[in-house]
Amino acid sequence: MSILTQHFETVHNTAPFSKINNEDYIPAFDQAIASTRTEIDAIANTVEPATFDNTIVALAFSGMSLDRLSSIFFNLHSAETNDELEQIAQDVAPKLAALGNDITLNFDLFKRIKQVYDHKEKLDLTLEQTTLLEKNYKDFVRNGALLSDDKKEQLRAIDTELSLLKLKYGEHVLADTNAYELHLTDEAELAGLPDGVKEAAAGLARSQEKTGWIFTLDYPSYIPFVTYAENRELRKIISIAAGKKAYQDNENNNEEIVLKIAKLRFQRAQLLGYETHAHFVLEERMAQNPDKVNAFLDDLLTKAKPAAKDEFQELRSFASETDGITILEKWDGAYYAEKLKQKKFQLDDEQLKPYFKLENVLQGAFEIAGKLFGLRFSEVQIIDKYHKDVQTFEVKDDEDNFIAVFYADFFPRKGKRNGAWMTSFKPQYKKDGKNERPHVSIVCNFTPATETKPSLLTFNEVTTLFHEFGHALHGMLADTVYPTLSGTAVFWDFVELPSQIMENWCYEQEALALFAKHYETGEPIPMNLVEKIRESASFLEGMATLRQLSFGKLDMGWHGQDPTTIDNLKKFENDQFASTQLYPDVTDNAMSTSFSHIFNGGYSSGYYSYKWAEVLDADAFDYFKQNGIFNKEIATKFKNTVLSKGGTEHPMSLYKQFRGQEPTVEALLKRAGLMK
């Protein structure tokens, strides 16, 4: 038996990363897939009448070994990949797709689920059990259980191809990201860059045994460069390189893959009886259908566009007055926005960074979680790690009960994809009288320490840490019976509420006082800087809103209509961006070829959910603000109705239990400065 398919004899049954070799994976997957098939066959073929326990509960706990293995492998494939892991992923993905189809298209299994479903009124089920039963029945129907045999075969072929295309897409984006570097040897070309940024670039050059400074497309390198570099031509070069990821004439081009994915998703939806992929996806979301999503996006666009146009005009005028810029281009946006912010608020990230040492910010997040939810985090060295940079923590409550294992992986490196995300190595569930606790991880790409300075975060990185930590709290505080309903297993337009609400504490004096302390002197952040952070919170918010809406509209463009006639990716994109465009188009750039959220992640037809959840989080945090941001009663209510409940009830029902009412958009518009 493989080490990867059995209970780990480790602290809290944590993954034994140091004992795993790449050659272990394929035999382990083969073994776990075979074991899952045996479990499914036992459920489907039993001669006993179908009951909730022998069918629905048995199904919920089937394939646990495979799920655990998959979480370990695919998390490493995102955070610590290499050529071997990428090849293994290509080998394994079709096998997993085939297994998924074999389960959802197993008619004997579906018949048993349907027997239980048809008699649900006669069963004395809890709300969670009812949700599990209904979700299982819907999942099977929605994924082809009622299709004819020939259509089931078509579905299998589509799902196999999609699984491989999504992997290829992600590998191409990572390959183009890693392949690019801007190598500078003339110090004059670094004008405007903060010392810490230059030091990090010099360190990277030295690590490659080169002179000068190297900048990459990793966010901690790229974002400061386009924000501070005075050399406009260099900003243009690196900005165009970032926009060309997987959209250039090389083996990593994703244009055909994007078109194939969109068309296969549409074909799949039609096969299942849905008008489009978005109709299929949104049936199981709070938004329900594409019309409602488009109406939501258009409503926000109507409210944000006048402000966005005014802000853009102000930025354009400022660039013209400052440097005689006649046409404001995309590579000018961050640079002049930072300069204008400094002028208007006397505030810039370099002023703030000394107060946001990574270790202090993380400790601040822990302390806030303690005040709100009674959690305590202790760093431990007895839990195995997949990379030396990873930190491991035991999480306990006020009564010393073990709550979770928490992993934190903060810095960019080769083999780690860009961005920030939360994930899980083991879900929470209850079985055999034991509450199995989760193993949760956040993965980010923050500014690393240099030879002379610790890791000092930009304010945007601070809010990113709190965002991912909010997702982590959703996973860590889970308290459900069934793993398939636990933690973040909720509607995708609800999953961002716990993450986005946590960002709000970053703007509050009472919270900042806990962790925003100068890394050299220990002095707390001055009140005048806190006021400036709050004043500048809605700076250029109209433009930021338009940007988010443009991504949502592009997503709905690909997935909310028939894509079969699209043959020119760039032209299609420009059509989708027409109502939100502010900057001139860059011919050499495309968004879709590296829009990993929707083509390689889980956000297809769901990117709108960031804005949707902003409505929820603004409304929810307004409740805290009215009663105190550390109000224990409200925090406990949030924990008990949202964070611990996972997907056991409809999210609007959970939200109304917390808030006492449905959310209103006014709180968001006020916070964004789009409504006085």
Side-chain angles (χ1 to χ4, degrees):
M1 180 180 280
S2 166
I3 185 178
L4 285 163
T5 55
Q6 55 190 303
H7 181 90
F8 303 134
E9 297 301 325
T10 54
V11 180
H12 303 305
N13 187 25
T14 47
F17 295 112
S18 63
K19 294 184 174 64
I20 301 170
N21 299 308
N22 286 347
E23 56 266 27
D24 296 334
Y25 282 115
I26 287 181
F29 270 110
D30 289 343
Q31 185 182 321
I33 287 169
S35 172
T36 302
R37 288 187 189 283
T38 300
E39 291 171 28
I40 294 299
D41 288 345
I43 300 167
N45 301 331
T46 182
V47 294
E48 296 173 14
T51 66
F52 183 81
D53 283 337
N54 71 17
T55 303
I56 307 304
V57 173
L59 184 59
F61 286 104
S62 66
M64 296 285 284
S65 173
L66 177 59
D67 290 344
R68 189 83 198 276
L69 167 61
S70 297
S71 71
I72 291 169
F73 174 77
F74 286 105
N75 284 334
L76 294 189
H77 183 256
S78 291
E80 185 67 5
T81 197
N82 52 48
D83 291 344
E84 262 190 284
L85 286 191
E86 290 185 354
Q87 185 53 57
I88 293 166
Q90 293 288 334
D91 292 342
V92 165
K95 296 177 183 178
L96 293 175
L99 175 67
N101 287 142
D102 287 345
I103 293 171
T104 53
L105 300 178
N106 184 323
F107 196 67
D108 289 332
L109 179 60
F110 175 65
K111 275 194 302 186
R112 293 182 64 80
I113 293 169
K114 190 173 185 305
Q115 284 169 16
V116 181
Y117 182 80
D118 287 344
H119 295 93
K120 63 180 178 178
E121 276 74 25
K122 296 176 183 172
L123 305 175
D124 186 20
L125 301 179
T126 65
L127 188 54
E128 182 175 350
Q129 290 171 330
T130 302
T131 302
L132 181 70
L133 174 56
E134 291 178 348
K135 184 177 184 297
N136 276 346
Y137 179 76
K138 275 188 190 174
D139 283 350
F140 274 73
V141 173
R142 281 166 48 78
N143 286 289
L146 297 176
L147 292 179
S148 61
D149 287 346
D150 62 323
K151 288 188 174 178
K152 283 180 180 178
E153 288 310 307
Q154 288 179 51
L155 188 68
R156 287 176 186 276
I158 290 170
D159 286 347
T160 299
E161 190 172 359
L162 277 171
S163 71
L164 290 169
L165 287 170
K166 286 170 67 177
L167 279 175
K168 273 287 178 206
Y169 178 99
E171 288 167 10
H172 288 174
V173 174
L174 182 62
D176 265 6
T177 302
N178 287 339
Y180 180 83
E181 61 178 43
L182 178 65
H183 184 198
L184 304 179
T185 52
D186 181 355
E187 191 163 4
E189 294 178 319
L190 307 180
L193 291 174
D195 290 342
V197 175
K198 290 190 283 190
E199 194 178 344
L204 183 57
R206 276 196 305 277
S207 72
Q208 296 185 24
E209 300 181 348
K210 294 177 182 176
T211 58
W213 302 264
I214 289 177
F215 298 90
T216 71
L217 299 181
D218 289 326
Y219 290 157
S221 179
Y222 172 74
I223 296 297
F225 194 91
V226 294
T227 304
Y228 295 105
E230 292 175 9
N231 188 316
R232 191 185 190 206
E233 186 58 31
L234 291 177
R235 291 201 314 269
K236 176 181 179 180
I237 288 168
I238 199 169
S239 174
I240 288 177
K244 279 169 68 173
K245 283 183 292 192
Y247 184 64
Q248 44 198 327
D249 188 14
N250 64 15
E251 66 276 13
N252 299 322
N253 188 291
N254 271 341
E255 287 176 84
E256 282 303 312
I257 288 179
V258 167
L259 293 172
K260 279 184 186 172
I261 288 174
K263 289 169 185 178
L264 284 169
R265 284 172 172 169
F266 175 73
Q267 192 181 333
R268 186 182 195 279
Q270 293 253 300
L271 193 62
L272 292 165
Y274 293 87
E275 190 177 330
T276 67
H277 178 66
H279 285 84
F280 169 78
V281 169
L282 294 169
E283 185 180 65
E284 289 293 281
R285 300 287 191 268
M286 292 176 79
Q288 298 172 320
N289 59 64
D291 288 344
K292 196 164 179 181
V293 170
N294 287 323
F296 171 73
L297 295 175
D298 288 339
D299 181 44
L300 274 180
L301 179 60
T302 301
K303 292 179 168 79
K305 195 168 185 176
K309 289 171 82 170
D310 288 346
E311 291 165 2
F312 187 71
Q313 182 55 48
E314 181 184 19
L315 196 60
R316 192 160 52 184
S317 299
F318 175 72
S320 175
E321 291 160 13
T322 306
D323 290 321
I325 301 296
T326 52
I327 299 174
L328 194 71
E329 302 280 5
K330 286 183 180 175
W331 45 87
D332 298 318
Y335 179 77
Y336 287 105
E338 183 63 23
K339 288 273 186 286
L340 181 58
K341 186 169 83 170
Q342 289 177 25
K343 180 183 175 186
K344 290 182 88 161
F345 304 103
Q346 289 77 54
L347 181 72
D348 69 70
D349 265 330
E350 289 308 301
Q351 270 177 286
L352 297 175
K353 281 171 71 173
Y355 296 98
F356 294 128
K357 182 181 172 184
L358 171 60
E359 290 82 357
N360 293 347
V361 177
L362 183 61
Q363 203 55 47
F366 291 165
E367 201 166 335
I368 288 167
K371 283 177 171 291
L372 293 170
F373 310 119
L375 297 178
R376 292 185 289 108
F377 293 75
S378 305
E379 186 165 11
V380 293
Q381 305 301 330
I382 53 174
I383 291 173
D384 213 342
K385 307 172 182 184
Y386 58 84
H387 189 276
K388 62 182 176 59
D389 287 349
V390 176
Q391 293 174 265
T392 51
F393 300 85
E394 281 183 335
V395 188
K396 295 186 176 180
D397 65 15
D398 284 338
E399 296 171 359
D400 211 36
N401 296 307
F402 173 65
I403 298 298
V405 171
F406 176 60
Y407 299 84
D409 179 0
F410 287 126
F411 304 117
R413 56 180 173 265
K414 190 175 172 60
K416 183 181 188 180
R417 68 177 169 89
N418 252 329
W421 61 95
M422 167 267 179
T423 187
S424 167
F425 286 104
K426 175 178 175 286
Q428 176 274 331
Y429 57 91
K430 296 173 185 174
K431 193 177 184 192
D432 300 330
K434 186 180 179 190
N435 190 337
E436 290 281 350
R437 300 311 303 168
H439 302 169
V440 171
S441 173
I442 61 173
V443 187
C444 305
N445 282 276
F446 290 155
T447 307
T450 65
E451 287 183 1
T452 63
K453 289 186 178 71
S455 174
L456 301 176
L457 304 188
T458 65
F459 188 69
N460 185 55
E461 288 175 324
V462 173
T463 58
T464 296
L465 190 153
F466 271 73
H467 179 103
E468 300 308 332
F469 186 65
H471 280 310
L473 288 171
H474 201 183
M476 289 188 278
L477 289 169
D479 190 29
T480 65
V481 176
Y482 307 108
T484 51
L485 299 178
S486 182
T488 56
V490 300
F491 284 2
W492 277 74
D493 44 10
F494 191 63
V495 79
E496 295 299 332
L497 167 60
S499 57
Q500 289 178 189
I501 194 173
M502 288 306 297
E503 294 181 38
N504 289 279
W505 274 267
C506 300
Y507 296 89
E508 298 296 325
Q509 163 68 15
E510 203 180 340
L512 286 168
L514 299 174
F515 65 89
K517 295 167 185 173
H518 198 283
Y519 78 99
E520 289 177 313
T521 66
E523 288 294 310
I525 191 168
M527 265 304 295
N528 69 311
L529 283 185
V530 175
E531 284 307 312
K532 287 176 183 179
I533 289 171
R534 295 176 71 165
E535 284 172 17
S536 64
S538 59
F539 176 63
L540 301 187
E541 186 60 33
M543 288 175 63
T545 299
L546 228 62
R547 183 172 179 270
Q548 283 292 92
L549 294 176
S550 74
F551 298 161
K553 282 185 163 290
L554 179 61
D555 176 24
M556 293 307 292
W558 281 116
H559 297 118
Q561 57 192 355
D562 180 350
T564 52
T565 58
I566 303 169
D567 54 12
N568 185 320
L569 177 144
K570 178 69 175 177
K571 180 182 182 304
F572 176 76
E573 271 196 3
N574 286 348
D575 290 344
Q576 305 313 304
F577 288 148
S579 64
T580 56
Q581 185 175 351
L582 294 170
Y583 292 97
D585 178 52
V586 181
T587 309
D588 291 346
N589 287 181
M591 171 79 187
S592 301
T593 53
S594 59
F595 196 177
S596 297
H597 271 76
I598 68 169
F599 288 111
N600 186 35
Y603 278 86
S604 64
S605 304
Y607 200 85
Y608 74 92
S609 61
Y610 282 102
K611 274 292 164 197
W612 185 277
E614 271 191 61
V615 172
L616 297 173
D617 97 68
D619 186 72
F621 191 67
D622 192 47
Y623 189 24
F624 275 100
K625 287 278 282 185
Q626 290 170 29
N627 297 279
I629 65 165
F630 290 118
N631 184 293
K632 193 75 175 174
E633 187 181 338
I634 293 173
T636 301
K637 196 194 292 191
F638 189 69
K639 179 171 84 169
N640 292 342
T641 58
V642 175
L643 296 178
S644 68
K645 292 288 190 182
T648 57
E649 291 184 51
H650 191 282
M652 189 55 82
S653 169
L654 293 174
Y655 188 82
K656 286 197 289 190
Q657 288 173 45
F658 164 65
R659 188 69 172 91
Q661 62 186 44
E662 289 200 6
T664 62
V665 76
E666 280 71 28
L668 171 62
L669 296 174
K670 279 181 187 170
R671 187 177 70 185
L674 301 175
M675 187 177 105
K676 303 303 178 193

